[in-house]
Amino acid sequence: MSMVDLILTVCLSANPGNCRDEHLYFESRGSLFQCMMLAPSEIAKWSQEHPALKVRRWKCAFPTKDQAI
């Protein structure tokens, strides 16, 4: 099973300069388009679970071979 990586750049609401990347993984169906279509609802769910963080940007990518999932 291949995976696709939804990469969120998130920052603390109280300190917008304090940012980091968060990774959400999905089963890939052959293209990044699926990730792009699913991303907004997944970002909304993630944001509700992490109210102290604000999503600044996001992108979809295939995980690199050396990246642990």
Side-chain angles (χ1 to χ4, degrees), residues 17-37:
N18 187 355
C19 302
R20 68 174 190 260
D21 285 343
E22 289 285 332
H23 297 263
L24 306 177
Y25 296 98
F26 301 94
E27 183 179 345
S28 172
R29 291 190 167 82
S31 75
L32 295 178
F33 184 74
Q34 178 85 19
C35 176
M36 299 295 284
M37 296 302 293

Side-chain angles (χ1 to χ4, degrees), residues 5-55:
D5 186 4
L6 173 57
I7 305 164
L8 308 177
T9 300
V10 299
C11 305
L12 286 173
S13 296
N15 183 2
N18 187 355
C19 302
R20 68 174 190 260
D21 285 343
E22 289 285 332
H23 297 263
L24 306 177
Y25 296 98
F26 301 94
E27 183 179 345
S28 172
R29 291 190 167 82
S31 75
L32 295 178
F33 184 74
Q34 178 85 19
C35 176
M36 299 295 284
M37 296 302 293
L38 293 173
S41 64
E42 293 299 321
I43 293 168
K45 281 190 258 183
W46 189 93
S47 294
Q48 286 180 334
E49 296 169 2
H50 302 86
L53 297 168
K54 181 170 177 128
V55 177

